[in-house]
Amino acid sequence: MLRYLMFFISTYMFANGINWHSSQVILRHLYDLQDEQFAVAKEYLELETKRIHDLERFLIPIDDGNINYTLKKRTFILSHIDSLKMMSRVYKNLSEIKKLMSYKQSVEVFKRFDEHNVNELNIQSAYRSLRRIQKVYAIPASEMAVGKYKDRTIGDPMNACECNVMSKYSFEECDTYGTMEWAIQTYNKWLTYRPKCVDIEKLHYYIRSVSMLTGFNFETLTDYSNLNHPENSEYFARHFSLMANALNIRDFNTPSTDIYNIYDSFEQFSRHKNFRNLCRTGKSVRPLTYESKCRYQTKNSPYWILMPFKEEDISINPSIKLYHDFIYNEEIKTITKMASKDLTDAASYFDGKITLIDDQRLGQLKWFSENSNPVLFGKLNERIECITEYSTKTAEGYQIVNYGLGGHFAEHVDAFTDGPKLNGNRLVTILFYMTDVPEDGYTVFPNINFVAHCHKGTALVWQNLYLNNGTVNSRTLHGGCPVIKGNKWVMTKGLYEEGQHLTYNWKDNKIITIV
């Protein structure tokens, strides 16, 4: 009973249908849910213990009485009165036993686990997040397995079981080098105390399979028995850096190719490579031009003379500006508190469809209209209209997003590319930063080599369209780098063409052009 109960708890104690790791807020809910489920399990255990004790107390005297019945059953059955008494007693006993064995209170508590579980897709999504972090930031499995990245602690060390999960999913998703990296880490950790969670035969199968695909016998390295490989081996030279790092081999001088250069070589588009490089370095390649300025901006408004906007030019084409101290701490606190109550998986808009794909976007979001808090969002609308000189009357609502482990948004343009919508296209994007962004999780514009180092309270504002004809500016391509550690809150708002004073008629743009 206890063994089954613990299996049941370990299998069914979490809620499904959500990417738990994609938001720290959601993870807190998961911990709360775990506490609730353990409380239910404890209640169930107490009820079952009481039931078993009651059953034991009931059965012992019956068993003792049966000894006497056995001795005199020949004479006992001849008496009709005694026979009736025996039948009544047996009926009562069996009914009571049945009642105790099907204890309704325990059953009702047991049912409370039915709708709570972590499914396979949740684990796969978390695995993909770790692999995404590895590839974007070029973190070897040997470092990630000990919870390190560039002398930073990014988590607790992983054990053999956890490394084995990474190897398993890498293999299932045909990630050859991922399988190779994590299988080596699994094997090294397995040697220490040989946990049952690692099927060593299956692990050897993974290593043999990737050896066939890469042309190099990595299994010999895990045996530690044959390290005398020829120095001129092409495959050894290609992958030696990874193997040396994984197995702490230091007595070879063979030239090598870094494993993440191999990953990068698979990319067909330069913007993807540039996106990764900007995320890794956190440095903008494009220097500031002489047109770039910082100023106190009032937009000729008497109201803002006392509290001018701190405006910083980032780019001329496209027009990108950064506003410091644009949203205040109390406003941020109110908005994040409102959003934390009902977050859902973040979706992305691609090719005319809204999709939930981890590789495109991973996070938790909440939409708010101005009516959700008219005073607060009304003030933000006033500030937006002042700095952009565009109306917010036809704008979309406010989208609040929380990014957790591996949370990211792949490169994209905010403007629609599949045709105009009811209020036209997204003319301007305002991106509010609700937390300080750590040494990762940057907003990156790969086509202009810009990395936004934004702090809590700042707002990044850019034009998505060319103002002479409404053509989509491809230089606004941007994305959010994966979050390695910490909690990232942002909020966005898009302003549409409808209702704005433009030099062109957006309704004439039946086909969206990207330049």
Side-chain angles (χ1 to χ4, degrees):
M1 174 62 72
L2 292 179
R3 181 182 298 178
Y4 177 74
L5 177 62
M6 293 312 298
F7 170 78
F8 189 81
I9 292 173
S10 65
T11 310
Y12 291 96
M13 66 179 156
F14 302 122
N16 62 2
I18 197 168
N19 284 314
W20 292 102
H21 62 285
S22 63
S23 163
Q24 282 200 351
V25 172
I26 297 297
L27 271 175
R28 291 191 189 102
H29 294 332
L30 183 59
Y31 275 108
D32 292 340
L33 177 62
Q34 177 181 255
D35 291 340
E36 292 172 10
Q37 296 306 297
F38 276 129
V40 172
K42 185 178 179 181
E43 181 183 351
Y44 175 81
L45 195 59
E46 289 172 351
L47 288 170
E48 282 293 280
T49 302
K50 180 179 180 300
R51 178 181 68 83
I52 292 171
H53 287 164
D54 289 345
L55 190 59
E56 184 181 34
R57 283 195 298 269
F58 186 77
L59 288 176
I60 288 175
I62 294 176
D63 190 48
D64 292 342
N66 279 339
I67 296 174
N68 296 327
Y69 294 145
T70 303
L71 295 175
K72 58 178 182 177
K73 63 182 177 181
R74 289 183 179 274
T75 57
F76 190 81
I77 294 175
L78 295 176
S79 169
H80 296 297
I81 295 176
D82 289 342
S83 297
L84 178 61
K85 287 166 62 178
M86 179 182 177
M87 289 173 62
S88 300
R89 188 181 294 109
V90 169
Y91 173 76
K92 181 182 178 182
N93 291 343
L94 292 179
S95 298
E96 193 65 27
I97 291 171
K98 183 178 180 181
K99 180 181 176 181
L100 287 170
M101 291 184 68
S102 59
Y103 198 36
K104 289 185 177 180
Q105 286 181 280
S106 297
V107 173
E108 290 304 314
V109 172
F110 192 75
K111 287 180 179 178
R112 283 154 62 181
F113 284 90
D114 287 354
E115 297 179 359
H116 300 88
N117 66 88
V118 165
N119 59 31
E120 188 79 3
L121 293 177
N122 298 145
I123 308 301
Q124 280 184 320
S125 180
Y127 149 77
R128 291 193 189 103
S129 294
L130 287 177
R131 286 296 289 150
R132 185 181 304 114
I133 288 172
Q134 269 196 280
K135 292 179 181 179
V136 170
Y137 296 106
I139 308 176
S142 55
E143 287 189 23
M144 184 167 278
V146 295
K148 298 289 185 181
Y149 170 56
K150 291 183 177 179
D151 298 324
R152 289 172 54 195
T153 298
I154 60 175
D156 293 332
M158 300 171 69
N159 59 33
C161 301
E162 292 157 348
C163 291
N164 189 51
V165 169
M166 294 296 293
S167 180
K168 169 182 178 290
Y169 283 118
S170 295
F171 185 80
E172 290 177 356
E173 298 200 356
C174 302
D175 183 350
T176 307
Y177 299 106
T179 306
M180 175 177 64
E181 276 198 294
W182 286 105
I184 295 295
Q185 293 303 313
T186 303
Y187 184 82
N188 287 343
K189 291 177 181 291
W190 175 83
L191 285 172
T192 305
Y193 60 98
R194 308 202 173 205
K196 294 181 179 179
C197 61
V198 177
D199 184 338
I200 196 63
E201 291 300 321
K202 186 171 289 187
L203 187 67
H204 282 160
Y205 171 72
Y206 294 161
I207 296 172
R208 283 193 295 271
S209 298
V210 298
S211 295
M212 291 173 61
L213 292 171
T214 58
F216 180 74
N217 186 6
F218 296 107
E219 192 173 26
T220 58
L221 284 179
T222 62
D223 290 337
Y224 291 94
S225 59
N226 181 16
L227 295 178
N228 298 317
H229 300 287
E231 293 187 359
N232 59 356
S233 168
E234 176 186 353
Y235 292 108
F236 186 67
R238 183 180 302 172
H239 306 299
F240 174 75
S241 176
L242 170 67
M243 292 295 97
N245 198 17
L247 296 176
N248 295 315
I249 302 171
R250 294 290 181 267
D251 56 348
F252 288 90
N253 296 315
T254 310
S256 61
T257 301
D258 188 85
I259 186 68
Y260 293 100
N261 288 336
I262 297 175
Y263 278 124
D264 291 344
S265 68
F266 293 155
E267 297 288 359
Q268 297 179 358
F269 301 105
S270 60
R271 68 172 184 267
H272 295 322
K273 294 180 182 179
N274 203 26
F275 175 77
R276 286 184 176 181
N277 288 334
L278 290 170
C279 287
R280 290 174 190 175
T281 63
K283 297 179 181 179
S284 298
V285 179
R286 180 192 62 84
L288 292 175
T289 61
Y290 68 90
E291 296 97 344
S292 302
K293 297 178 181 179
C294 296
R295 64 184 70 82
Y296 285 105
Q297 180 63 266
T298 63
K299 294 289 184 177
N300 298 319
S301 169
Y303 177 78
W304 293 109
I305 290 177
L306 296 176
M307 292 183 63
F309 299 107
K310 301 172 184 177
E311 183 182 78
E312 179 182 349
D313 291 333
I314 300 299
S315 170
I316 306 301
N317 178 26
S319 173
I320 303 178
K321 297 180 184 296
L322 185 64
Y323 292 88
H324 300 269
D325 303 321
F326 191 79
I327 183 170
Y328 310 132
N329 284 337
E330 285 303 314
E331 294 172 329
I332 290 172
K333 186 177 178 180
T334 300
I335 293 171
T336 53
K337 184 177 180 181
M338 291 168 57
S340 298
K341 297 176 182 177
D342 190 23
L343 290 166
T344 58
D345 284 338
S348 58
Y349 186 88
F350 179 73
D351 197 23
K353 298 178 182 178
I354 296 176
T355 57
L356 284 169
I357 304 176
D358 289 2
D359 289 341
Q360 290 296 318
R361 192 181 191 187
L362 184 65
Q364 297 290 320
L365 64 77
K366 173 79 174 178
W367 281 94
F368 286 112
S369 66
E370 279 75 0
N371 294 331
S372 303
N373 191 324
V375 175
L376 172 56
F377 291 121
K379 290 179 179 178
L380 290 178
N381 283 346
E382 289 177 6
R383 290 173 217 165
I384 290 171
E385 289 181 346
C386 183
I387 62 172
T388 64
E389 300 181 339
Y390 291 121
S391 172
T392 59
K393 292 180 179 179
T394 59
E396 65 190 17
Y398 286 88
Q399 181 187 194
I400 294 85
V401 190
N402 182 226
Y403 292 107
L405 171 65
H408 77 118
F409 201 161
E411 312 98 289
H412 63 286
V413 292
D414 285 349
F416 300 114
T417 58
D418 59 332
K421 307 305 172 187
L422 181 63
N423 289 326
N425 213 335
R426 281 197 185 108
L427 180 65
V428 176
T429 295
I430 302 95
L431 176 59
F432 301 86
Y433 290 85
M434 320 278 273
T435 53
D436 288 323
V437 178
E439 297 177 15
D440 49 75
Y442 304 120
T443 303
V444 167
F445 291 75
N447 287 350
I448 61 171
N449 294 318
F450 171 63
V451 180
H453 289 263
C454 295
H455 299 284
K456 182 179 180 180
T458 58
L460 196 65
V461 182
W462 66 88
Q463 299 270 359
N464 294 304
L465 311 176
Y466 286 102
L467 296 181
N468 60 334
N469 57 11
T471 299
V472 177
N473 190 340
S474 63
R475 292 166 64 85
T476 63
L477 184 82
H478 64 285
C481 302
V483 175
I484 298 178
K485 184 180 180 181
N487 195 28
K488 178 183 175 183
W489 282 93
V490 296
M491 179 171 69
T492 63
K493 189 175 182 68
L495 306 185
Y496 287 89
E497 293 171 299
E498 174 63 23
Q500 316 297 353
H501 297 290
L502 303 172
T503 59
Y504 62 93
N505 184 358
W506 67 266
K507 294 181 180 179
D508 293 338
N509 291 339
K510 304 299 182 183
I511 300 176
I512 301 297
T513 306
I514 305 175
V515 178

